[in-house]
Amino acid sequence: LAVGDRVDVYVVERGSAGEPAGAPRMVLGSAAVTDVDDDAGAFGGTSLELGVALSVPANRVAAVVDAQARGTVTLVDVPVGSS
């Protein structure tokens, strides 16, 4: 994942005990990656968590923030030429 890549943003909402509470749903399509925290795993960790900044249209910001608060957010790379 790198600056300039495009990603689709999906969320899997979680219940009170952390269990999945439904199927994944797309929150935002073809968002531009504007920054990637490349310090993840700097101490030898193997986490799947990564700090990423996206360019999000103003009318979709609330939906993306809500998704992050409700569950697990996953970014899926959009192949070049398919957006």
Side-chain angles (χ1 to χ4, degrees):
L1 191 63
V3 171
D5 286 353
R6 292 274 176 177
V7 294
D8 290 339
V9 180
Y10 285 84
V11 64
V12 174
E13 293 188 17
R14 300 285 173 184
S16 59
E19 75 283 2
R25 68 178 170 86
M26 187 189 295
V27 177
L28 181 65
S30 196
V33 175
T34 59
D35 194 24
V36 178
D37 177 3
D38 57 5
D39 287 337
F43 296 104
T46 58
S47 174
L48 293 176
E49 294 183 10
L50 180 66
V52 177
L54 303 174
S55 178
V56 178
N59 66 339
R60 300 299 300 151
V61 170
V64 173
V65 171
D66 183 64
Q68 183 181 22
R70 291 178 179 269
T72 302
V73 172
T74 300
L75 306 179
V76 179
D77 190 41
V78 175
V80 175
S82 66
S83 56

